[in-house]
């Protein structure tokens, strides 16, 4: 605090009766309070008031509390020299001077001649008072029992929950956590209950409402020292003022359980020794409150300090750039949203507009054609609707094959500029949209024929039927079955049934096998069911050609246009499948296998001759030991410059589960220094002991949204869980280019015939990886360490986030934060990731992330690449649009199909 100096003896946490303290004279503005030997003074500068509470004993002094207070009502303007320490009974006149002299004398050192000791004590005091400066932020944020997610709704909500949970007017100990809002941490909440009850001498296992309110007031107290004492009491179970190693281990285990950190829990002994070594250097076997406080308020690392300072500058810089427009009318708001939507989706809009226009035009053309034919007099608008729908159906059945011609799309996006106007990244979504158009066409066509056209023809008069004889014969069809059993009828019915089955099993609910285990249909769903029923379309297309030839109302060959629609698309698709068959690389040699926590299988393979790819692309894998027919896509996690090919596969279904089982049989437990649960290193060749190792076939590579990352100045890579796989390849590729000096030859996909020189535009990359499980960090530990070691210029900024851990500042994660700081300071290794990259707790604040990138990279082009569950897509897409329009940094959002 400006104009304020003070010092006291905090040199050792083991204070004895011989320890002494001194106060160096200072000046300040005075506030008064006192309670049984505890003296409080307030210091004021131009902006704020800080209150310091001292516990004054006969021959020592200790700071009990330092906090910022409201200056309301404090109108003491006089400054005083000496110690500004008073009690309520003292006045502001002569009594004050007398009291000051009395307290000052009581704080004098017994050995006043020892100047060196006084100097050291002064330094210690000033160090302790740092809590009002650099440590203040830590103190205000740390050890929060009441957070934004716990008890934020205040006592009224707690009281309401008490009324719901109480039994005979009392709250059971087991329900305490739920009542105060600390759900999901029952064990931790019980320990909090026990510490608060122990402090008050409560031995019963229940609380009345008044007792609960007393507990709540202590937990919601924003004073750091009160929170520190509460936490200390929770650890100090025998209330002797000392925390033993056994008690430290117990709170580490408790914190690990609350944050779902099983591996940290297993290493509780190691981390207990780490804390005791730091806080108990003399091996007394215990630590005290001051030691715990020193650990909690340790100075942040230089990197963190730089980040904090820079963050404040970012917020300030953006305050003007992101200011809302003065025009806040509802019309303006919707107009701006509309413009943003157009700018972001113009490629999709024009493609969808063109597709819909063609469908509508075909429908109208056929509708008018049959409106002018004699059949209209009998069947009316039923036949015009059926024929109009049939024309759009033929067009869509042809078009639906193009989005799944992966080789063609990969070649077009890699070799041409068409990708600038056509959203190839949405090929699967467009395939689904066309499939929906097919479903509409089938419903209209089959529905109109079966429910309207055929009954009207059967009930037509002889005179009305006369023009129909050239098409249906001289004798009128005798019954409804006549239409169904004919070639036109049964082919149509079979197609409708097959299409319905394929369409239903392609829905995410069935394809991802989300049915309950008790549901009898569960065994009939899943990816296998989707894959096999989709290939029934071979039969559908054959029947469609037959159905289109055997038409009732068209006899001339050139009017039977179904085969004309289908010829080119089917030929292209068949060529694609033949190419895949011959291009599948047989006998890919497995070099390494690792089974990681979180049901992840990592496969490292030799790179086939001539196999070229870009980071962000994917391959299809077939394992005949699992299924001879199934091919599944997986993102490539190795970089183009690596001499091997790697994929990381998460077990999520039948096929991946069997694949993991097959490869696990050839693995062994890891040795020291290796990660994973099981490993097998076959890089030196396949020996007789593992000759039964399954073979893999691969097909690819194929294009994906992430492959275009080289076109951007800055990359913002965001991965959720296993969604980090394509982004890891990009991180490694950027690192390789950094080492090679930037602009090098860009690797082209196989089949290019040459290597084309491409400028490598990326100068900066930010990688955010969010995962729920601590074991997930083992998947890419080697990549993280490699980046940290080789990226000397800090081009790649890595951010790991473990969302299972409560946010920093929450009392449930306070000890985890302490351990992380200690471990990283001593060994340079993070306790969660096992790398030099520090893990952040809870999910990132994405708006702050975009702010950071926007202000640091003005007038630059930022590619935002996301791979993970769809839940985050709307937020990231909206942030990309907001920061593009409100800053001079342009963000382009790309979502990987996951």
């Amino acid at each position: 605090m400006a104009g304020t100096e003070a010092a006291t003896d905090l040199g050792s946490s083991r204070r004895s009766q011989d320890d002494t303290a001194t106060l160096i004279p200072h000046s300040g503005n005075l506030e008064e309070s006192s309670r049984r030997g505890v003296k409080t003074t307030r210091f004021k500068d131009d902006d704020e008031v800080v209150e310091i509470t001292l516990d004054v004993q006969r021959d020592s002094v200790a700071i009990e509390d330092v906090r910022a207070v409201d200056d309301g009502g404090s109108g003491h303007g006089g400054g005083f020299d000496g110690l500004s320490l008073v009690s309520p009974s003292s006045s502001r006149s002569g009594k004050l001077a007398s009291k000051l002299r009395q307290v000052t004398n009581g704080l004098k050192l017994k050995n006043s001649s020892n100047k060196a000791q006084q100097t050291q004590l002064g330094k210690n005091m000033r160090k302790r008072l740092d809590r009002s400066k650099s440590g203040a932020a830590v103190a205000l944020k740390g050890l929060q029992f009441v957070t934004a997610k716990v008890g934020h709704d205040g006592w009224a909500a707690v009281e309401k929950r008490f009324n719901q949970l109480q039994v005979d007017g009392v709250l059971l100990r087991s329900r305490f956590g739920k009542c105060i809002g600390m759900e999901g941490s029952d064990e931790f909440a019980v320990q909090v209950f026990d510490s608060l009850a122990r402090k008050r001498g409560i031995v019963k296992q229940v609380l009345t409402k008044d007792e609960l309110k007393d507990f709540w007031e202590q937990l919601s107290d924003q004073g750091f020292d009160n929170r520190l004492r509460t936490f200390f009491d929770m650890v100090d179970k025998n209330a002797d003022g000392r925390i033993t190693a056994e008690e430290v281990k117990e709170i580490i285990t408790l914190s690990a359980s609350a944050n779902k950190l099983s591996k940290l829990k297993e290493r509780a002994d190691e981390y207990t020794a780490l804390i005791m070594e730091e806080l108990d250097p003399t091996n007394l076997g215990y630590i005290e409150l001051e030691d715990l406080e020193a650990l909690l308020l340790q100075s942040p690392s230089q990197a963190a300090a730089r980040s904090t300072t820079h963050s404040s500058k970012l917020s300030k810089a953006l305050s003007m750039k992101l200011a809302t427009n003065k025009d806040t009318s509802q019309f303006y708001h919707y107009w701006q949203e509309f413009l943003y939507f157009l700018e972001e989706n113009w490629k999709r809009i024009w493609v969808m507009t063109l597709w819909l226009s063609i469908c509508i035009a075909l429908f109208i053309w056929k509708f008018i054609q049959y409106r002018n034919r004699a059949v209209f007099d009998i069947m009316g608008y039923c036949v015009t609707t059926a024929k109009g729908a049939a024309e759009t159906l033929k067009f869509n059945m042809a078009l639906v094959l193009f989005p799944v011609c992966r080789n063609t799309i990969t070649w077009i996006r890699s070799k041409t500029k068409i990708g600038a106007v056509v959203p190839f990244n949405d090929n699967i979504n467009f395939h689904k949209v066309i499939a929906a158009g097919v479903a509409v066409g089938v419903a209209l066509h089959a529905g109109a024929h079966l429910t309207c056209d055929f009954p009207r023809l059967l009930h037509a008069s002889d005179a009305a039927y006369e023009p129909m004889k050239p098409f249906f014969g001289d004798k009128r069809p005798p019954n409804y079955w006549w239409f169904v059993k004919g070639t036109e009828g049964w082919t149509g019915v079979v197609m409708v049934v097959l299409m319905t089955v394929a369409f239903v099993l392609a829905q995410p609910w069935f394809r991802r096998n989300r049915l309950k285990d008790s549901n009898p249909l569960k065994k009939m769903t899943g990816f296998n069911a989707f894959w096999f029923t989709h290939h029934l379309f071979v039969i559908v297309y054959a029947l469609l050609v037959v159905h289109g030839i055997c038409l009732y109302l068209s006899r001339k060959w050139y009017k039977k246009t179904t085969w004309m629609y289908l010829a080119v698309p089917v030929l292209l698709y068949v060529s694609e499948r033949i190419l895949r068959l011959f291009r599948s690389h047989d006998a890919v040699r497995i070099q390494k296998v690792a089974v990681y926590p979180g049901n992840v299988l990592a496969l490292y393979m030799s790179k086939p001759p001539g196999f070229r790819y870009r980071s962000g692309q994917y391959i299809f894998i077939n394992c005949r030991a699992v299924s001879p027919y199934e091919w599944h896509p997986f993102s490539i996690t190795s970089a183009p410059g690596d001499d091997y090919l790697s994929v990381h596969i998460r077990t999520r279904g039948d096929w991946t589960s069997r694949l993991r089982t097959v490869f696990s049989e050839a693995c062994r437990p890891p040795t020291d220094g290796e990660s994973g649960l099981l490993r097998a290193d076959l890089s030196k060749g396949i020996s007789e002991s593992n000759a039964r190792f399954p073979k893999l076939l691969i097909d690819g590579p194929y294009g994906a949204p992430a492959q275009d990352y080289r076109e951007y100045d800055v990359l913002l890579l965001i991965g959720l869980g296993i969604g980090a796989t394509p982004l890891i390849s990009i991180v490694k590729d950027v690192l390789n280019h950094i080492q090679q000096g930037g602009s090098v030859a860009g690797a082209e996909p196989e089949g290019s015939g040459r290597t084309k020189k491409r400028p490598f535009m990326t100068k900066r990359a930010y990688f955010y990886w969010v995962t729920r499980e601590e074991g997930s960090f083992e998947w890419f530990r080697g990549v993280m360490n490699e980046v940290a070691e080789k990226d000397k210029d800090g081009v790649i900024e890595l951010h790991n986030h473990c969302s299972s851990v409560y946010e920093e500042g929450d009392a449930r994660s306070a000890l985890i934060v302490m351990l992380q700081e200690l471990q990283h300071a001593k060994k340079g290794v993070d306790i969660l990731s096992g790398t030099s990259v520090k893990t952040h707790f809870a999910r990132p604040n994405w708006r702050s992330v975009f702010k950071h990138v926007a202000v640091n990279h003005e007038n630059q082009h930022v590619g935002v690449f996301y791979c993970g569950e769809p839940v985050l897509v709307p937020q990231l897409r909206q942030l990309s649009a907001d920061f593009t329009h409100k800053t001079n940094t342009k963000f382009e959002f790309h979502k990987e199909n996951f």
Side-chain angles (χ1 to χ4, degrees):
M1 185 62 62
T4 303
E5 279 191 7
T8 189
D9 180 12
L10 297 172
S12 170
S13 62
R14 314 291 184 269
R15 293 193 303 255
S16 65
Q17 292 299 316
D18 292 331
D19 289 329
T20 53
T22 188
L23 290 173
I24 297 174
H26 67 283
S27 63
N29 293 333
L30 184 63
E31 297 291 339
E32 301 180 4
S33 68
S34 176
R35 51 186 177 85
R36 287 194 296 177
V38 175
K39 312 299 180 182
T40 302
T41 184
R42 293 183 179 179
F43 299 93
K44 178 181 179 184
D45 64 4
D46 294 336
D47 299 321
E48 57 184 324
V49 176
V50 172
E51 179 181 275
I52 301 179
T53 303
L54 302 179
D55 183 6
V56 182
Q57 305 301 328
R58 184 182 61 183
D59 58 355
S60 64
V61 62
I63 292 183
E64 185 174 277
D65 192 16
V66 178
R67 71 172 74 192
V69 296
D70 230 351
D71 194 24
S74 100
H76 314 298
F80 296 88
D81 294 330
L83 178 67
S84 300
L85 194 76
V86 299
S87 67
S89 60
S90 61
S91 67
R92 298 171 189 164
S93 57
K95 292 183 180 180
L96 173 61
S98 174
K99 185 67 176 179
L100 289 174
R101 284 193 296 273
Q102 178 184 353
V103 175
T104 304
N105 291 335
L107 295 176
K108 285 182 179 178
L109 289 170
K110 288 186 176 181
N111 185 7
S112 60
S113 62
N114 191 342
K115 301 296 183 182
Q117 184 180 7
Q118 294 184 36
T119 302
Q120 181 62 38
L121 294 175
K123 291 180 180 177
N124 291 337
M125 178 62 177
R126 283 191 292 273
K127 183 177 179 181
R128 178 63 174 265
L129 285 179
D130 278 346
R131 200 172 75 178
S132 65
K133 298 178 183 179
S134 64
V138 182
L140 290 174
K141 294 180 181 178
L143 282 179
Q144 294 279 355
F145 288 92
V146 176
T147 67
K149 296 183 179 180
V150 178
H152 63 282
D153 39 8
W155 165 249
V158 175
E159 184 179 25
K160 181 179 179 180
R161 287 193 289 267
F162 173 87
N163 294 331
Q164 295 171 346
L165 299 172
Q166 57 86 23
V167 177
D168 297 330
V170 294
L171 179 71
L172 300 178
R173 173 173 173 262
S174 58
R175 299 182 179 181
F176 176 72
K178 186 175 182 180
C179 186
I180 65 172
M182 194 179 286
E183 294 190 66
S185 305
D186 296 339
E187 191 177 352
F188 190 91
V190 166
Q191 293 298 325
V192 174
F193 177 98
D194 291 344
S195 67
L196 295 174
R198 188 165 54 244
K199 194 71 175 177
R200 292 162 175 75
I202 299 176
V203 295
K204 56 186 179 180
Q205 302 293 300
V206 295
L207 288 178
T208 64
K209 184 183 291 188
D210 291 338
E211 290 171 333
L212 176 64
K213 187 174 183 181
D214 184 32
F215 281 23
W216 173 254
E217 288 174 351
Q218 180 171 341
L219 292 177
S220 58
D221 190 328
Q222 293 306 303
F224 174 73
D225 292 271
N226 179 71
R227 285 180 270 142
L228 176 64
R229 171 56 67 180
T230 302
F231 187 79
F232 185 88
D233 292 341
M234 189 175 72
V235 183
D236 181 22
K237 292 195 171 183
N238 57 6
D240 62 352
R242 299 172 177 177
I243 301 178
T244 63
E246 189 61 34
E247 289 172 326
V248 170
K249 179 182 176 181
E250 189 171 341
I251 194 63
I252 289 176
T253 304
L254 182 65
S255 298
S257 297
N259 291 277
K260 301 178 179 64
L261 302 176
S262 58
K263 299 183 80 65
L264 189 147
K265 189 174 180 180
E266 293 171 2
R267 303 177 66 181
D269 289 326
E270 175 186 342
Y271 293 130
T272 299
L274 183 66
I275 289 181
M276 296 304 292
E277 177 186 350
E278 177 72 15
L279 301 184
D280 182 28
T282 55
N283 295 320
L284 295 177
Y286 62 87
I287 60 177
E288 295 181 341
L289 179 65
E290 291 81 0
D291 305 314
L292 186 62
E293 180 181 10
L295 184 61
L296 282 167
L297 297 184
Q298 58 188 305
S299 298
S301 64
Q302 292 182 355
R306 286 196 303 269
S307 175
T308 302
T309 303
H310 196 49
S311 179
S312 64
K313 292 180 180 178
L314 295 183
S315 298
K316 186 176 180 180
L318 278 166
S319 61
M320 294 184 292
K321 294 184 179 182
L322 296 180
T324 55
N325 194 288
K326 292 182 180 180
D327 188 351
T328 56
S329 67
Q330 196 78 356
F331 173 78
Y332 178 82
H333 171 74
Y334 286 124
W335 176 248
Q336 286 296 318
E337 290 294 325
F338 176 70
L339 292 179
Y340 293 168
F341 178 81
L342 286 181
E343 185 171 350
E344 183 183 355
N345 298 283
W346 68 270
K347 293 181 184 179
R348 300 183 181 96
I349 291 173
W350 88 260
V351 170
M352 287 295 298
T353 302
L354 178 63
W355 173 69
L356 286 172
S357 300
I358 293 175
C359 289
I360 293 172
L362 289 173
F363 184 90
I364 293 174
W365 169 58
K366 214 62 177 177
F367 186 95
I368 294 175
Q369 187 182 93
Y370 274 82
R371 174 67 178 79
N372 297 321
R373 292 184 61 173
V375 69
F376 179 79
D377 296 331
I378 296 179
M379 300 182 181
Y381 286 105
C382 297
V383 71
T384 57
T385 301
K387 290 301 181 178
E391 203 66 21
T392 64
L393 181 59
K394 289 184 284 186
F395 169 69
N396 284 326
M397 286 295 288
L399 188 63
V400 77
L401 294 175
F402 279 110
V404 292
C405 291
R406 293 189 291 267
N407 288 291
T408 303
I409 291 176
T410 300
W411 185 88
I412 292 175
R413 70 187 299 166
S414 301
K415 298 296 183 182
T416 70
K417 299 296 183 182
I418 298 178
V421 293
V422 176
F424 288 115
N425 295 340
D426 293 322
N427 63 313
I428 298 301
N429 291 330
F430 191 47
H431 175 77
K432 295 176 181 178
V433 169
I434 299 171
V438 170
V440 173
V442 168
L444 290 176
H445 179 74
H449 274 327
L450 296 174
T451 64
C452 185
D453 288 341
F454 297 161
R456 293 185 73 166
L457 184 64
L458 290 173
H459 295 89
S461 63
D462 293 338
Y465 180 76
E466 187 66 27
M468 296 295 100
K469 288 183 178 180
F471 307 108
F472 295 96
D474 294 336
K475 187 176 180 181
R476 186 203 310 264
N479 50 44
Y480 195 88
W481 177 247
W482 184 91
F483 295 102
V484 175
K485 73 178 182 179
T487 303
E488 301 89 336
W490 72 262
T491 54
V493 171
V494 172
M495 281 192 294
V496 169
V497 172
L498 294 180
M499 286 182 177
T500 301
V501 172
F503 190 84
V504 170
L505 293 181
Q507 302 308 305
W509 190 264
F510 296 99
R511 179 166 53 88
R512 295 185 182 274
N513 209 1
R514 294 173 179 170
L515 299 177
K516 295 181 179 179
D517 293 336
S518 57
N519 194 315
L521 296 177
K522 186 175 179 64
K523 293 182 179 180
M524 301 172 60
T525 61
F527 186 85
N528 285 343
F530 158 76
W531 192 88
F532 283 111
T533 54
H534 242 58
H535 282 73
L536 291 176
F537 271 81
V538 174
I539 301 175
V540 171
Y541 275 96
L543 293 176
L544 182 60
V545 172
V546 174
H547 186 81
I549 293 175
C550 302
L551 294 178
Y552 289 121
L553 301 175
S554 296
R555 297 300 182 184
K556 298 178 180 180
W557 71 270
Y558 57 86
K559 291 187 177 181
K560 300 177 180 181
T561 59
T562 301
W563 66 272
M564 300 179 188
Y565 278 100
L566 299 180
V568 174
V570 169
L571 180 62
L572 178 63
Y573 184 76
V574 171
S575 300
E576 282 252 344
R577 297 306 295 256
I578 295 174
L579 177 62
R580 292 184 209 174
L581 179 64
F582 284 100
R583 198 181 64 172
S584 298
H585 301 283
D586 199 1
V588 176
R589 186 165 63 88
I590 304 296
Q591 294 182 342
K592 283 190 290 187
V593 177
V595 179
Y596 290 112
N599 291 324
V600 170
L601 172 68
L603 300 176
Y604 298 82
M605 301 161 276
S606 59
K607 189 184 295 186
F611 187 89
R612 300 186 185 95
Y613 64 97
R614 296 179 186 175
S615 291
Q617 293 185 329
Y618 65 95
I619 58 175
F620 278 79
I621 292 180
N622 170 267
C623 181
R624 293 184 176 179
V626 176
S627 173
Y629 307 110
E630 295 184 53
W631 292 80
H632 294 263
F634 299 100
S635 297
I636 303 172
T637 54
S638 54
D642 295 333
D643 58 358
Y644 61 88
L645 194 64
S646 68
V647 293
H648 286 66
I649 302 170
R650 181 151 200 179
T651 302
R652 301 191 70 173
D654 297 339
W655 189 87
T656 51
S657 297
R658 295 198 302 271
L659 185 72
R660 182 181 185 272
T661 301
V662 167
F663 277 95
S664 297
E665 294 173 355
C667 295
R668 54 166 177 76
T671 57
D672 293 339
E674 294 181 330
S675 60
L677 302 176
L678 297 169
R679 294 183 67 89
D681 190 347
L682 313 178
S683 56
K684 297 181 180 180
I686 299 179
S687 62
E688 184 178 350
S689 60
N690 47 50
R692 292 183 293 109
F693 212 83
K695 291 184 178 181
L696 292 182
L697 302 177
I698 66 171
D699 174 33
Y702 293 108
Q707 77 172 53
D708 299 324
Y709 69 95
R710 299 182 179 206
E711 301 174 3
Y712 299 94
D713 305 311
V714 180
L715 301 179
L716 178 55
L717 310 172
I718 301 171
L720 260 60
I722 198 63
T725 49
L727 310 180
I728 283 292
S729 178
I730 296 176
V731 169
K732 295 179 68 177
D733 196 34
V734 172
L735 180 63
N736 290 342
H737 280 81
I738 293 171
Q739 294 177 285
Q740 296 171 13
S743 180
V744 297
E748 296 293 329
E750 184 189 7
S752 63
R754 59 191 175 91
T755 301
K756 184 180 177 181
K757 294 287 185 178
R758 297 169 56 91
F760 193 81
M761 297 180 61
T762 304
K763 304 301 180 186
R764 182 78 162 151
Y766 299 87
F767 176 56
Y768 285 82
W769 184 21
V770 184
T771 181
R772 288 191 297 266
E773 303 166 355
E774 58 174 331
S776 303
F777 295 116
E778 292 190 27
W779 305 346
F780 307 114
R781 181 185 297 173
V783 178
M784 300 290 178
N785 285 328
E786 185 180 3
V787 171
E789 177 185 350
K790 297 180 179 180
D791 183 20
K792 304 300 183 183
D793 297 328
V795 175
I796 303 173
E797 194 172 294
L798 301 176
H799 296 270
N800 294 335
H801 286 259
C802 186
S803 58
S804 70
V805 182
Y806 292 101
E807 61 185 349
E808 295 177 25
D810 194 303
R812 289 168 288 184
S813 63
L815 202 65
I816 310 298
V817 176
M818 296 185 225
L819 284 173
Q820 185 185 50
E821 291 292 338
L822 276 178
Q823 176 86 344
H824 206 274
K826 286 182 173 292
K827 301 180 180 180
V829 177
D830 184 70
I831 61 173
L832 297 189
S833 67
T835 69
S836 58
V837 181
K838 265 185 152 183
T839 302
H840 304 282
F841 301 144
R843 294 177 177 85
N845 183 325
W846 294 115
R847 179 165 288 274
S848 297
V849 170
F850 276 78
K851 281 183 183 180
H852 177 75
V853 175
V855 174
N856 278 282
H857 304 283
E858 296 186 23
N859 300 307
Q860 290 187 304
H861 205 184
V862 180
V864 182
F865 294 92
Y866 171 72
C867 186
E869 296 292 345
V871 63
L872 197 55
V873 171
Q875 182 184 2
L876 295 179
R877 179 176 283 127
Q878 185 62 46
L879 285 172
S880 297
D882 288 345
F883 280 84
T884 293
H885 295 100
K886 296 180 180 180
T887 70
N888 52 20
T889 305
K890 184 174 179 58
F891 291 83
E892 283 194 17
F893 178 73
H894 303 273
K895 180 185 76 72
E896 190 77 21
N897 293 316
F898 182 71

